[in-house]
Amino acid sequence: MKPFIRFVYHSFPFQLLILHIKKFPVLLIFWYILFSTISSGFMKSYGAYSLFLGPEYLGSVNPLGAAIVGVAIGIFIMSWHITTFILFSRHFRFLATTSNPFLKYCINNSALPAVFLIYYIIRMSIYDSGNELMSAGDVTLQVLGFLAGILFLILISFLYFFRYDRRIARNLSPVISNPQLFKSQFKKKHVKLNDSRVIQVDWFFRGPFTIKKVRDVSHYSDDFIESVLKRHHFASVVAVFIAFIFLVVVGYFLDYKAFQLPAAAGITVFFAIVIAVIGAFTYFTQSWSIPLLLLLFFLINLLFKFDIIDPTNKAYGINYANKKERPDYSPEYLAALCSDSIVFSDRRNMEALLDRWKAKQKDSLPLLYIINTSGGGNRSARFTMEVLQHLDSVSNGTILRKTVLINGASGGMLGASYFRELDLQRQKGLLKNITDPVYADNISQDLLNPIFSSWVARDIAAPAQKFKIGSFQYLKDRGYAFEEKLNENAGGLFNKSIRDYKELESKAESPMVVYNTVVSRDGRKFLIGTQPMSFLMKANVDDSPDAIDFNAFFKYQSPDQLRVLSAMRMNATFPYVLPNVWLPSNPVIDVMDAGLRDNYGMETSYRFLTAMRPWIEKNCRGIVLIQIRDRKTGGWDHPFESGNISEVLTRPFLLLQNNWYKMQEYNQTDLFQSEQQLFKGKIHKITFQYNAQTEESGAALSFHLTKREQQDITKSLHLKMNQEALSYFAKLSGN
């Protein structure tokens, strides 16, 4: 037994694994992330596993998408081989005297990739069958597509290196064939060059199923060994450079659907690039790597500080060129925007709008409806759309005629905005059946593929590309890719600016929609809409403003030209997935997802009710708050439990993150009670909530949904609590 253990321990594959752990464990982090992701561990709640196990391409999960992911994972594996070959070659100089050294290195370095591929195929088969509802034949095609992709990439790679091996052999043949030159490559003193202080190798795999003892190369000179290995280093660097050029080309043509790769492919290629960059930087800088890295960071920061480079994302449509009249982001300027005279004027404008709304109602004292929808990515977008379709059906197409305000966060506002657009099309006679299930399918189509494709191929690799809206120019990045895909999913209905809704909302032909977005520096929020809203900037008269009227604040930056897609994206800027939007103020500020401040959209609605209370009490018999949520009430879903020692250690740091939405809910329950007392019990709250049938079938908080998740969301509407909410709505509406 002991000889066998020694035999395994001194094998090249085992020693390579030890070398990875000893010298560059940072490179193993990427393998850990991939393993953890496909095992539903890493970012499970956001559905990261679905991107890998059910890769979507050209609008569906198909073998071609699986093949592209196979190619991407092949690129990652080859980048892993190339980078570690360059970094570790000095520890295994015996390979320099073998034929096809890089191929032999890859064979012996493939233990980790082989385990990953086997595990990936097993997980993909189970997932596609259970979550994408595929037949056994379709699952087989998916696996074959994946294998075809990875084998294609590896075959191309090795053909390239075989050619390089032959070229190296031709260059060295004059030395080997000449006895005098060849003799000069031997050392006079016997020093074992194959010995390493880090590893000791006795045998290696010459082929997949054949082994060979390590050859003693101690009689070769340093120069000869180094010349052979460095030629292979150059070949490896060229291969990585070719892959990088390919990404640049993809970035230039990313506006075409064929170049919008599956999100998993984008993520994996990004990992491959990072590994290659880490390896190259470490190899060429050696002990200077840390100081040079700090210097590089300092230089980039300096270029950014003096506006020589500007990687920041913009709100498309507004004016960033007018730097002389940029508003001051200061307490004094914000206070001036909500002075008594301005608040009085804006409130009178809103009262006039409400008068026009009331004139369109059948009752002399109507119920005032407000729709609030929560964040939650595509699951909330779909659930919101399906709830509104049901409400429209129950109310005989009058739900939006009864509604004054639509407000919310993130994904829910995508669904609500799309429903409003469909209603406008119906008013024009261009659409009849607004309750067609196809619209729920449209708004829940994948948005992650273009985001990650752009992130890798355009944000990182390709030179800057620009586009125009009116006379203003902006950079194409993953924010732009998100907007274009969202507009495509909605059939082009979102290709508008905020000002296109002003007259419709002023005449009460369409409900007001308020998009919220949170300032990252202090938690204040911008209120983006068509109407002046200074009366919503403060909770109480004596308070300082904690909300900002977007149009009033940026009055010299053409705020009404803001693209509605950008307003929706600012409302749904999930951290890191989408870039923060930087706004033209002094100093420049950036904004993020509305869910950071109010994930349920209730805060703005309560403030609206308080501000307009005199008019409401005089003109309405009550208020109906329709709340559409993507999670259960009560805070019992997904409790933060400590399952291991690492979670115990990190629990204090993650406590706020895991309970953020629950604390918002507790606060808003108090606000509702206050409003109920204020209006003497005349507020009717109707809550619709998505509740997964089982924990396994629950839809993830992501911009991507599987077929099983889509079905689970649809079924959720038939739960008892949601059916009771529909019945209550019908009773209040008189239908």
Side-chain angles (χ1 to χ4, degrees):
M1 188 66 181
K2 193 173 181 179
F4 176 76
I5 294 175
R6 184 179 299 154
F7 176 79
V8 172
Y9 182 78
H10 290 297
S11 66
F12 193 24
F14 194 85
Q15 288 294 309
L16 274 176
L17 185 60
I18 294 175
L19 195 59
H20 290 313
I21 296 171
K22 279 185 176 181
K23 303 297 290 183
F24 285 96
V26 66
L27 298 181
L28 295 175
I29 292 175
F30 298 98
W31 282 110
Y32 169 78
I33 292 174
L34 289 177
F35 270 105
S36 180
T37 300
I38 65 174
S39 64
S40 303
F42 181 72
M43 297 184 71
K44 176 184 178 181
S45 60
Y46 302 117
Y49 61 94
S50 66
L51 303 180
F52 283 84
L53 303 178
E56 187 169 316
Y57 182 61
L58 298 177
S60 65
V61 178
N62 53 59
L64 184 56
I68 293 173
V69 173
V71 170
I73 291 179
I75 292 173
F76 175 79
I77 292 173
M78 291 308 300
S79 177
W80 157 264
H81 286 321
I82 290 170
T83 301
T84 55
F85 178 76
I86 292 173
L87 292 174
F88 299 156
S89 59
R90 61 191 176 90
H91 296 291
F92 41 81
R93 298 189 174 195
F94 64 88
L95 284 181
T97 61
T98 65
S99 60
N100 304 317
F102 182 69
L103 173 61
K104 289 181 173 56
Y105 173 80
C106 291
I107 292 172
N108 288 270
N109 195 44
S110 292
L112 193 57
V115 172
F116 174 79
L117 292 177
I118 293 170
Y119 184 57
Y120 181 91
I121 290 171
I122 294 172
R123 289 286 297 157
M124 172 187 272
S125 302
I126 297 172
Y127 177 88
D128 286 346
S129 175
N131 292 74
E132 292 296 342
L133 309 179
M134 291 184 177
S135 65
D138 290 334
V139 171
T140 302
L141 289 176
Q142 285 291 109
V143 172
L144 291 176
F146 172 75
L147 291 175
I150 196 167
L151 290 174
F152 171 77
L153 190 282
I154 292 175
L155 178 63
I156 293 297
S157 300
F158 284 131
L159 284 176
Y160 165 78
F161 281 104
F162 283 152
R163 290 185 62 189
Y164 234 95
D165 280 333
R166 288 197 295 269
R167 186 180 303 174
I168 292 172
R170 285 198 302 269
N171 292 337
L172 291 177
S173 60
V175 176
I176 297 172
S177 60
N178 188 316
Q180 295 299 322
L181 287 175
F182 188 61
K183 188 177 180 181
S184 68
Q185 303 305 317
F186 295 111
K187 280 193 167 184
K188 294 180 180 178
K189 293 183 178 180
H190 190 78
V191 180
K192 289 195 173 184
L193 291 177
N194 55 313
D195 279 351
S196 169
R197 290 177 297 176
V198 180
I199 66 171
Q200 179 184 340
V201 178
D202 293 337
W203 65 271
F204 66 99
F205 280 105
R206 184 174 62 179
F209 307 106
T210 57
I211 63 175
K212 185 178 181 180
K213 290 186 68 66
V214 169
R215 179 181 177 184
D216 183 11
V217 293
S218 60
H219 50 287
Y220 285 98
S221 68
D222 287 345
D223 292 339
F224 181 77
I225 298 292
E226 290 293 336
S227 67
V228 175
L229 293 176
K230 284 183 177 180
R231 289 170 190 266
H232 284 87
H233 293 175
F234 180 77
S236 303
V237 171
V238 170
V240 173
F241 181 73
I242 291 172
F244 182 78
I245 293 298
F246 170 75
L247 285 179
V248 172
V249 173
V250 170
Y252 269 110
F253 294 98
L254 205 56
D255 289 334
Y256 298 95
K257 290 186 67 173
F259 287 87
Q260 295 173 8
L261 307 179
I267 296 169
T268 311
V269 172
F270 173 69
F271 285 176
I273 293 174
V274 172
I275 284 179
V277 170
I278 291 173
F281 189 79
T282 304
Y283 178 77
F284 288 110
T285 59
Q286 297 297 326
S287 61
W288 286 90
S289 58
I290 300 299
L292 288 175
L293 190 63
L294 293 174
L295 179 62
L296 180 63
F297 177 80
F298 174 78
L299 291 175
I300 293 175
N301 187 60
L302 202 63
L303 294 173
F304 174 73
K305 185 176 181 180
F306 289 98
D307 291 329
I308 298 174
I309 59 173
D310 183 12
T312 58
N313 179 268
K314 305 296 191 296
Y316 307 140
I318 64 175
N319 185 355
Y320 285 80
N322 183 11
K323 296 185 178 181
K324 293 183 179 180
E325 297 179 290
R326 287 188 172 183
D328 291 329
Y329 192 77
S330 64
E332 295 77 17
Y333 191 78
L334 295 184
L337 293 179
C338 54
S339 64
D340 292 343
S341 59
I342 295 177
V343 168
F344 178 79
S345 175
D346 290 356
R347 188 178 281 120
R348 289 293 299 272
N349 173 76
M350 184 56 62
E351 289 175 350
L353 187 153
L354 291 173
D355 286 337
R356 290 188 286 273
W357 169 82
K358 182 183 176 183
K360 295 179 180 291
Q361 306 306 307
K362 294 180 180 180
D363 301 331
S364 58
L365 289 176
L367 287 170
L368 185 147
Y369 287 72
I370 293 178
I371 296 173
N372 299 283
T373 180
S374 76
N378 276 15
R379 76 180 180 197
S380 188
R382 184 182 183 94
F383 186 63
T384 298
M385 170 60 70
E386 294 195 344
V387 168
L388 292 177
Q389 286 179 318
H390 277 72
L391 294 178
D392 187 81
S393 179
V394 170
S395 65
N396 296 321
T398 63
I399 176 60
L400 292 193
R401 304 290 80 72
K402 301 172 183 287
T403 302
V404 168
L405 173 66
I406 298 176
N407 176 56
S410 196
M413 287 300 289
L414 303 186
S417 298
Y418 186 41
F419 184 81
R420 181 175 76 152
E421 286 297 331
L422 295 174
D423 182 67
L424 291 172
Q425 294 295 306
R426 179 171 59 181
Q427 291 184 48
K428 296 176 183 178
L430 300 176
L431 183 67
K432 291 184 179 180
N433 185 14
I434 198 174
T435 60
D436 192 322
V438 70
Y439 301 122
D441 293 337
N442 289 346
I443 200 59
S444 57
Q445 285 186 58
D446 174 72
L447 291 169
L448 272 186
N449 285 328
I451 291 175
F452 281 100
S453 295
S454 179
W455 188 18
V456 173
R458 185 178 276 155
D459 295 21
I460 297 174
Q465 295 174 266
K466 298 182 179 181
F467 70 103
K468 275 191 172 184
I469 295 179
S471 58
F472 306 134
Q473 196 173 62
Y474 310 92
L475 289 178
K476 292 182 178 180
D477 59 7
R478 66 186 187 279
Y480 169 81
F482 173 86
E483 292 188 17
E484 291 299 295
K485 181 59 176 175
L486 177 60
N487 192 40
E488 178 189 320
N489 292 350
L493 294 181
F494 290 140
N495 195 23
K496 297 179 179 180
S497 61
I498 293 296
R499 64 183 175 189
D500 292 327
Y501 299 94
K502 185 170 185 178
E503 185 176 357
L504 291 169
E505 293 184 8
S506 296
K507 293 181 177 180
E509 294 177 2
S510 178
M512 290 183 296
V513 171
V514 175
Y515 298 102
N516 303 278
T517 188
V518 178
V519 180
S520 63
R521 64 180 286 171
D522 56 22
R524 287 183 171 87
K525 65 179 179 181
F526 277 105
L527 306 171
I528 305 174
T530 66
Q531 306 302 311
M533 293 179 283
S534 63
F535 55 89
L536 298 179
M537 289 180 60
K538 296 191 292 186
N540 298 296
V541 175
D542 297 330
D543 293 342
S544 60
D546 64 348
I548 310 165
D549 185 340
F550 184 85
N551 287 343
F553 186 79
F554 291 109
K555 60 183 177 181
Y556 298 115
Q557 278 69 42
S558 307
D560 61 342
Q561 294 184 38
L562 175 69
R563 192 154 90 153
V564 69
L565 285 159
S566 290
M568 295 165 69
R569 176 166 61 89
M570 291 160 69
N571 189 266
T573 302
F574 197 84
Y576 296 109
V577 176
L578 286 171
N580 286 17
V581 175
W582 296 76
L583 297 172
S585 59
N586 184 27
V588 173
I589 55 175
D590 63 302
V591 293
M592 298 178 66
D593 197 295
L596 294 173
R597 170 79 177 263
D598 179 12
N599 192 56
Y600 304 106
M602 302 297 288
E603 183 184 66
T604 301
S605 296
Y606 290 143
R607 191 169 294 187
F608 176 85
L609 292 175
T610 302
M612 304 312 299
R613 177 188 165 198
W615 186 95
I616 294 172
E617 289 184 332
K618 181 180 179 181
N619 293 277
C620 299
R621 72 175 186 273
I623 300 156
V624 179
L625 284 176
I626 299 175
Q627 185 180 27
I628 306 172
R629 302 166 51 99
D630 75 320
R631 62 192 72 202
K632 292 187 291 185
T633 58
W636 293 104
D637 55 324
H638 304 296
F640 185 37
E641 300 174 344
S642 300
N644 53 56
I645 189 65
S646 63
E647 290 179 349
V648 172
L649 295 174
T650 59
R651 185 185 183 107
F653 300 101
L654 300 177
L655 186 64
L656 182 61
Q657 175 186 339
N658 284 276
N659 293 316
W660 188 254
Y661 296 144
K662 297 173 186 177
M663 289 189 289
Q664 288 184 10
E665 183 181 334
Y666 303 150
N667 178 58
Q668 291 180 6
T669 299
D670 290 340
L671 286 175
F672 175 72
Q673 295 301 325
S674 299
E675 292 294 321
Q676 190 72 291
Q677 292 176 8
L678 198 64
F679 284 93
K680 301 176 182 178
K682 293 183 178 180
I683 301 180
H684 308 276
K685 187 178 178 183
I686 305 175
T687 300
F688 296 89
Q689 56 185 11
Y690 166 61
N691 190 5
Q693 307 293 310
T694 63
E695 186 175 349
E696 292 75 20
S697 65
L701 193 155
S702 172
F703 284 123
H704 177 90
L705 292 176
T706 66
K707 289 183 179 179
R708 183 176 179 178
E709 289 172 339
Q710 292 175 10
Q711 289 186 3
D712 191 70
I713 292 170
T714 300
K715 290 178 181 178
S716 186
L717 269 172
H718 301 288
L719 296 176
K720 182 180 178 181
M721 57 184 175
N722 290 327
Q723 288 300 306
E724 289 175 349
L726 273 175
S727 298
Y728 187 39
F729 170 80
K731 180 180 177 181
L732 288 174
S733 301
N735 296 106

